[in-house]
Amino acid sequence: MDKRITIAIYIVLFSFVLFLFRLWDLQVIRGAEYRKTDERNRVRVLNIPAPRGIIYDRNSKPLVKNIPSFDITVVKEDIPKDPESMSALSRLTGLTIDNIKKRLKSPSSPFEPVTLKEDISNVEVAVIEARKMDFPGLQISVVVGREYIYGHSASHVLGYLGSLNLRQLRSPEYSGIPHETAIGQFGIEKVYDETLRGKTGKKVIEVDAVGSIIKVVRIQRPIKGRDIHLTVDIDLQVEAEKSLKGKAGAVVAIEPNTGEVLALASAPSFNPNLFVRGIDSKVWRGLVNDPFKPLLNRAIQSQYPPGSTFKIITAIAALEERLVDENTTYYCSGSIFFGRTFRCWKHSGHGYVNLHKALVESCDVYFYEVAKKLDIDKLAQYAMGFGLGRPSNIPLEGEVPGIVPTSGWKRERKNEKWYRGETLNTVIGQGYLSTTPLQMARLTGAVVNGGRLYEPSILAGTGSEEPESIVRIEPKYISLIKAALLSVVTDKKGTGKAAQSDIVSIGGKTGTTQVVGGVSKKKDIPHRFKDHAWFVAFAPENSPQIAVAVFVEHGEHGSTGAAPIAKRIIEAYFTNKG
Amino acid sequence: MIDRRVINNFDWSTLFIAIVLSLIGVMTIYSATRPVLDVAQKTFYIRQLYWIGLSIMAFLILVSIDYKWYIRFSYIIFFLGVVLLVIVLVAGRKGMGAQRWIDLGFMSFQPSEFFKIFFIMAVSRYLSQIGETVSLGLRSMLKMIVLFFIVPAVLILKQPDLGTMLILMFIFISLVLVAGAKRKIIILVVVGSLIALPFAGKIIWGGLKDYQKNRIIAFIDPQADPQGVGYHINQSKVTIGSGGFLGKGYMKGTQGPYRFLPEHHTDFIFSIFAEEWGFAGSVLLFLMYLLIIVRGFDTARKARDREGCFLVLGVTFMFSYYFFINVGMTLGLMPVVGVPLPLMSYGGTALLSNFLALSMIANVRMRRFALYY
């Protein structure tokens, strides 16, 4: 029996040695690795979102505010994944199991919380707080949401926020931004995202097995994004949008002496509040497929022939090139033959017309006569001098340059020589010529300003003191043009009578752009074939403070479709000023 | 009754190591259950201290009575033990899916903890009565199984308490083997169980509860589902491993207080100890357990009679199995079986039963010199 006891002792000793080897393996050989696992068990790094900078209008009225919203987040590693817990989680959050699984797959490190559901109600917050113990890793995170106080207003300027897309996630520009952060995806929010964004803070915490915070190890406070002041006057902006209600079009109002944008409205618009917490795909498709393209900023992102508003440039070119003077007179019979018949909009004709009358009554034949003598490339020089044919460099995305045709342009684009007949179309703002409403507002400002063209600014304090360029024009010609533009509004035969105001003297020029040739005079044509309406305006008569361009898609006539809008905005501007 | 020579020969070492280990246990329980948030600490450690006091008294009382009396009354004690097991099943308190406790109002205890000692006493008496030189044959083996093992095993399994039943079985087999089972029988048992294993495995597998199956799956592949059944094993390994060579330091462990490791003050107390004291501390702890075990075997050899020898062998086997199964489990070397670490795990009945078991070793050792009597 002694022998058998000895065997037992050996077995015990052998087992002890075996256990010691195992202990050595766990604690010494793999100790560091387990130490790391242990830390991963309890140490979490949480992001503290930085409050985004506030955007103010020129009178320091806030246009956006940050509002806290609550998200359900989970730590992937901690959440139980058995079917039973999954269905319990599904009941708790109201999400389908598939949806939860999909969310859990989103790319992030294992211990970075994944957002399960955004923007939950206070009741949901209470329910989840109460049930938290049953779901380790489940948390409610406070997210800084964004509210656009004026809703649809200035949406094309302000833009909207959205989650980082895949390209942005990989781009170094957005590195270090937590994936759940909403960043600017359009408008000012996007262009000045880096300024507005601030710096996400970090909180290193220790948690226990159910995710309760045991202690805060280290905290790095977030840095609030910088506030931005716009040059836009929100009251004027709202007025502009009201006047475009039910229409597709754009209104741009600028300060002629600084280039500051007072209002930049595009209709129809959209509600940026829909985007903040991730836009519903159905709503998004609705916006994208809407035939009236609400996401398009018509003030800068689309270009149209300027119509008769361009006659201002033609008149300046004709005067400066000494082709006409204030007394030069042509006879308008309603049309002119130059290779083919070119009609005046007034088929009965204007009779004898000088430059003043030609602008006031918008006689086409007068400018056709000028066109016969005017070189297209010379005209283009003036057009470009006033900022047409190139982006204005307003700090908003997607600005289109417009087109100022030249002989060289035509050779390059169409591989054809320039026909003089085409100049006739161009001088009245038709043909290849196309401009954006912003360009037209800027042009108007520069003309009444004596040829000083300012780069438009939308961020207060960023405008240049000096004009971008100066077109040298004889002051007497400027006076001549200004007088004519004032008469457009005041003269009983003026095409812009609808803009006449009791409050302030307004000058302007109408424009009507043919959408389909030949049908424009008929009644009851479909909306989409109706002419576009333009009106550019300035006020007051002496040292103008505001220049406006109004464009209404299928607004039929500049005189009726656009001029009243310009009046309304200018009046609002001066009324508000007091 | 108390002989001067008995006092002179008192086995201080066994009692001393037992007290040291149980105090280390209290310290570790204290650290494992310390609150990390601003709440009051649970009083596990205080209750454990009371039980240590009670256990030391019981140890001293039992040691003072010559073990021949225990052997003499062992069959009656065994029978009373079986009665207690029946009472547990009929009127016991349920807890955590099992019915293991008898509630006495002021305290509750698990009869199966004490029954193991009663069982050892009875088997020792029986084995010692079979002739010293006669090898155990098949017939006498079967007879013993029927007499001592079948009934309590079934009763304990009913609770259900698989761990205790297995330990009872291991003690029984070990005693019989050492007592002198014929070599033929040993070979027969080994070969037979190897052949029967796949079949028995299937039957046993079918009879296992889900949580028991999961524990076996988790043991075979802890990574299979780290959040589910493998969680205990993985977290225990992380807890032990993160201690490193020197440990995180007393009261500096995190796995227990942060509740990553479940059962940290009971079955996984060793993991917490190893986290705080590292490899160095664990080796010292191992040595103390080894000392008790080897001393037990040494005492068995030196016992004045066969009764004493089997009695000490029985409790030493019991102590060893508890130690190896528990520590093996925390090290991921064995499946998770709800078996406490002797002397250190929180739990009054188990602590008391361990002290009683060790008192048997001391009892036999003190009276090893047959000459004096």
Side-chain angles (χ1 to χ4, degrees), chain A residues 48-76:
Chain A
I48 314 172
R52 215 173 153 78
I54 301 296
I55 305 174
Y56 295 96
D57 89 334
R58 70 184 292 119
N59 300 315
S60 294
K61 281 190 185 169
L63 306 181
V64 297
K65 63 180 172 195
N66 294 325
I67 45 164
S69 77
F70 300 96
D71 284 3
I72 307 175
T73 60
V74 291
V75 175
K76 254 196 277 184

Short mmCIF file of all heavy atoms in Angstrom, two decimals, chain A residues 48-76:
data_model
loop_
_atom_site.label_atom_id
_atom_site.label_comp_id
_atom_site.label_asym_id
_atom_site.label_seq_id
_atom_site.Cartn_x
_atom_site.Cartn_y
_atom_site.Cartn_z
N ILE A 48 -16.21 63.18 -27.41
CA ILE A 48 -17.12 64.24 -26.96
C ILE A 48 -17.30 65.16 -28.16
O ILE A 48 -16.35 65.82 -28.58
CB ILE A 48 -16.55 65.04 -25.78
CG1 ILE A 48 -15.98 64.10 -24.73
CG2 ILE A 48 -17.61 65.95 -25.20
CD1 ILE A 48 -15.23 64.81 -23.64
N PRO A 49 -18.49 65.19 -28.71
CA PRO A 49 -18.67 66.00 -29.90
C PRO A 49 -18.44 67.47 -29.60
O PRO A 49 -18.81 67.97 -28.53
CB PRO A 49 -20.12 65.73 -30.31
CG PRO A 49 -20.77 65.14 -29.10
CD PRO A 49 -19.70 64.50 -28.28
N ALA A 50 -17.81 68.14 -30.54
CA ALA A 50 -17.58 69.58 -30.39
C ALA A 50 -18.81 70.31 -30.89
O ALA A 50 -19.32 69.97 -31.95
CB ALA A 50 -16.36 70.00 -31.18
N PRO A 51 -19.29 71.29 -30.13
CA PRO A 51 -20.42 72.08 -30.66
C PRO A 51 -19.97 72.79 -31.93
O PRO A 51 -18.87 73.35 -31.98
CB PRO A 51 -20.72 73.08 -29.54
CG PRO A 51 -20.02 72.56 -28.34
CD PRO A 51 -18.85 71.76 -28.82
N ARG A 52 -20.81 72.74 -32.94
CA ARG A 52 -20.47 73.37 -34.20
C ARG A 52 -20.65 74.88 -34.09
O ARG A 52 -21.47 75.37 -33.31
CB ARG A 52 -21.43 72.82 -35.25
CG ARG A 52 -20.85 72.65 -36.61
CD ARG A 52 -21.83 71.95 -37.52
NE ARG A 52 -21.56 72.34 -38.89
CZ ARG A 52 -20.58 71.85 -39.63
NH1 ARG A 52 -19.79 70.92 -39.13
NH2 ARG A 52 -20.38 72.26 -40.86
N GLY A 53 -19.84 75.59 -34.83
CA GLY A 53 -19.96 77.05 -34.83
C GLY A 53 -21.34 77.47 -35.32
O GLY A 53 -21.97 76.80 -36.12
N ILE A 54 -21.79 78.60 -34.79
CA ILE A 54 -23.12 79.11 -35.16
C ILE A 54 -22.96 80.02 -36.38
O ILE A 54 -21.97 80.73 -36.51
CB ILE A 54 -23.73 79.90 -33.98
CG1 ILE A 54 -23.86 79.00 -32.75
CG2 ILE A 54 -25.08 80.51 -34.35
CD1 ILE A 54 -24.78 77.84 -32.92
N ILE A 55 -23.94 79.96 -37.26
CA ILE A 55 -23.92 80.84 -38.42
C ILE A 55 -24.91 81.98 -38.17
O ILE A 55 -26.07 81.73 -37.87
CB ILE A 55 -24.30 80.07 -39.69
CG1 ILE A 55 -23.38 78.85 -39.86
CG2 ILE A 55 -24.23 80.98 -40.92
CD1 ILE A 55 -23.77 77.95 -41.01
N TYR A 56 -24.40 83.21 -38.26
CA TYR A 56 -25.24 84.39 -38.04
C TYR A 56 -25.43 85.14 -39.35
O TYR A 56 -24.60 85.03 -40.25
CB TYR A 56 -24.59 85.34 -37.04
CG TYR A 56 -24.45 84.79 -35.65
CD1 TYR A 56 -23.27 84.19 -35.24
CD2 TYR A 56 -25.51 84.88 -34.74
CE1 TYR A 56 -23.13 83.68 -33.95
CE2 TYR A 56 -25.36 84.39 -33.45
CZ TYR A 56 -24.19 83.78 -33.06
OH TYR A 56 -24.06 83.30 -31.80
N ASP A 57 -26.50 85.92 -39.41
CA ASP A 57 -26.65 86.77 -40.59
C ASP A 57 -25.92 88.08 -40.34
O ASP A 57 -25.24 88.25 -39.32
CB ASP A 57 -28.13 86.96 -40.94
CG ASP A 57 -28.77 88.15 -40.24
OD1 ASP A 57 -28.27 88.50 -39.14
OD2 ASP A 57 -29.74 88.69 -40.76
N ARG A 58 -26.03 89.04 -41.26
CA ARG A 58 -25.22 90.26 -41.15
C ARG A 58 -25.61 91.10 -39.94
O ARG A 58 -24.84 91.92 -39.46
CB ARG A 58 -25.27 91.07 -42.44
CG ARG A 58 -26.61 91.75 -42.71
CD ARG A 58 -26.62 92.45 -44.06
NE ARG A 58 -25.73 93.62 -44.12
CZ ARG A 58 -24.70 93.75 -44.93
NH1 ARG A 58 -24.39 92.76 -45.76
NH2 ARG A 58 -23.97 94.84 -44.94
N ASN A 59 -26.83 90.89 -39.45
CA ASN A 59 -27.27 91.63 -38.26
C ASN A 59 -27.16 90.77 -37.00
O ASN A 59 -27.86 91.00 -36.02
CB ASN A 59 -28.70 92.12 -38.46
CG ASN A 59 -28.80 93.04 -39.65
OD1 ASN A 59 -27.97 93.93 -39.82
ND2 ASN A 59 -29.79 92.82 -40.51
N SER A 60 -26.29 89.77 -37.04
CA SER A 60 -26.04 88.88 -35.89
C SER A 60 -27.27 88.11 -35.43
O SER A 60 -27.39 87.75 -34.27
CB SER A 60 -25.45 89.66 -34.72
OG SER A 60 -24.18 90.14 -35.07
N LYS A 61 -28.18 87.87 -36.37
CA LYS A 61 -29.28 86.97 -36.03
C LYS A 61 -28.82 85.54 -36.29
O LYS A 61 -28.31 85.24 -37.37
CB LYS A 61 -30.49 87.27 -36.93
CG LYS A 61 -31.27 88.48 -36.50
CD LYS A 61 -32.57 88.56 -37.30
CE LYS A 61 -33.31 89.83 -36.96
NZ LYS A 61 -34.42 90.07 -37.89
N PRO A 62 -28.97 84.67 -35.28
CA PRO A 62 -28.54 83.28 -35.52
C PRO A 62 -29.43 82.59 -36.55
O PRO A 62 -30.64 82.74 -36.52
CB PRO A 62 -28.68 82.63 -34.14
CG PRO A 62 -29.64 83.49 -33.40
CD PRO A 62 -29.52 84.88 -33.95
N LEU A 63 -28.80 81.89 -37.46
CA LEU A 63 -29.55 81.17 -38.49
C LEU A 63 -29.66 79.68 -38.17
O LEU A 63 -30.50 78.98 -38.71
CB LEU A 63 -28.87 81.33 -39.86
CG LEU A 63 -28.62 82.78 -40.28
CD1 LEU A 63 -27.96 82.83 -41.65
CD2 LEU A 63 -29.93 83.56 -40.31
N VAL A 64 -28.75 79.22 -37.30
CA VAL A 64 -28.79 77.81 -36.90
C VAL A 64 -28.60 77.75 -35.41
O VAL A 64 -28.13 78.71 -34.80
CB VAL A 64 -27.65 76.99 -37.55
CG1 VAL A 64 -27.78 76.98 -39.05
CG2 VAL A 64 -26.30 77.52 -37.12
N LYS A 65 -29.01 76.65 -34.81
CA LYS A 65 -28.62 76.43 -33.42
C LYS A 65 -28.31 74.96 -33.20
O LYS A 65 -28.78 74.11 -33.95
CB LYS A 65 -29.66 76.97 -32.45
CG LYS A 65 -31.01 76.32 -32.52
CD LYS A 65 -31.94 76.98 -31.49
CE LYS A 65 -33.35 76.49 -31.65
NZ LYS A 65 -34.32 77.33 -30.96
N ASN A 66 -27.50 74.72 -32.20
CA ASN A 66 -27.15 73.34 -31.87
C ASN A 66 -28.13 72.84 -30.83
O ASN A 66 -28.33 73.47 -29.81
CB ASN A 66 -25.74 73.26 -31.30
CG ASN A 66 -24.71 73.64 -32.34
OD1 ASN A 66 -24.89 73.35 -33.53
ND2 ASN A 66 -23.65 74.28 -31.92
N ILE A 67 -28.74 71.72 -31.12
CA ILE A 67 -29.66 71.15 -30.14
C ILE A 67 -29.19 69.74 -29.82
O ILE A 67 -28.76 69.01 -30.71
CB ILE A 67 -31.11 71.11 -30.67
CG1 ILE A 67 -31.11 70.59 -32.12
CG2 ILE A 67 -31.76 72.46 -30.58
CD1 ILE A 67 -32.46 70.17 -32.59
N PRO A 68 -29.22 69.37 -28.53
CA PRO A 68 -28.79 68.01 -28.21
C PRO A 68 -29.83 67.01 -28.68
O PRO A 68 -31.03 67.25 -28.58
CB PRO A 68 -28.70 68.01 -26.68
CG PRO A 68 -29.60 69.12 -26.26
CD PRO A 68 -29.68 70.11 -27.37
N SER A 69 -29.37 65.91 -29.24
CA SER A 69 -30.30 64.83 -29.54
C SER A 69 -29.66 63.54 -29.03
O SER A 69 -28.47 63.49 -28.77
CB SER A 69 -30.59 64.76 -31.04
OG SER A 69 -29.53 64.16 -31.72
N PHE A 70 -30.47 62.53 -28.83
CA PHE A 70 -30.00 61.31 -28.19
C PHE A 70 -29.99 60.14 -29.17
O PHE A 70 -30.93 59.95 -29.93
CB PHE A 70 -30.88 60.98 -26.99
CG PHE A 70 -30.87 62.06 -25.96
CD1 PHE A 70 -31.85 63.04 -25.92
CD2 PHE A 70 -29.84 62.14 -25.04
CE1 PHE A 70 -31.83 64.05 -24.99
CE2 PHE A 70 -29.80 63.15 -24.10
CZ PHE A 70 -30.79 64.11 -24.07
N ASP A 71 -28.91 59.41 -29.12
CA ASP A 71 -28.77 58.23 -29.98
C ASP A 71 -28.62 56.99 -29.11
O ASP A 71 -28.08 57.07 -28.01
CB ASP A 71 -27.48 58.33 -30.81
CG ASP A 71 -27.63 59.31 -31.96
OD1 ASP A 71 -28.70 59.94 -32.05
OD2 ASP A 71 -26.68 59.42 -32.74
N ILE A 72 -29.07 55.88 -29.63
CA ILE A 72 -28.75 54.60 -28.98
C ILE A 72 -27.46 54.10 -29.61
O ILE A 72 -27.39 53.94 -30.82
CB ILE A 72 -29.84 53.55 -29.21
CG1 ILE A 72 -31.21 54.09 -28.79
CG2 ILE A 72 -29.52 52.26 -28.45
CD1 ILE A 72 -32.34 53.13 -29.11
N THR A 73 -26.45 53.87 -28.78
CA THR A 73 -25.23 53.31 -29.32
C THR A 73 -24.88 52.03 -28.57
O THR A 73 -25.33 51.84 -27.44
CB THR A 73 -24.05 54.29 -29.20
OG1 THR A 73 -23.86 54.58 -27.82
CG2 THR A 73 -24.32 55.57 -29.95
N VAL A 74 -24.12 51.19 -29.23
CA VAL A 74 -23.66 49.98 -28.55
C VAL A 74 -22.19 49.79 -28.81
O VAL A 74 -21.66 50.21 -29.84
CB VAL A 74 -24.40 48.71 -29.03
CG1 VAL A 74 -25.83 48.71 -28.60
CG2 VAL A 74 -24.27 48.53 -30.52
N VAL A 75 -21.53 49.15 -27.85
CA VAL A 75 -20.16 48.70 -28.07
C VAL A 75 -20.28 47.29 -28.59
O VAL A 75 -20.80 46.40 -27.92
CB VAL A 75 -19.34 48.75 -26.77
CG1 VAL A 75 -17.96 48.16 -27.00
CG2 VAL A 75 -19.23 50.18 -26.28
N LYS A 76 -19.84 47.11 -29.84
CA LYS A 76 -20.02 45.84 -30.54
C LYS A 76 -19.54 44.66 -29.71
O LYS A 76 -20.20 43.63 -29.63
CB LYS A 76 -19.23 45.87 -31.85
CG LYS A 76 -20.12 46.03 -33.07
CD LYS A 76 -19.34 45.66 -34.31
CE LYS A 76 -18.50 46.82 -34.79
NZ LYS A 76 -17.81 46.52 -36.05
#
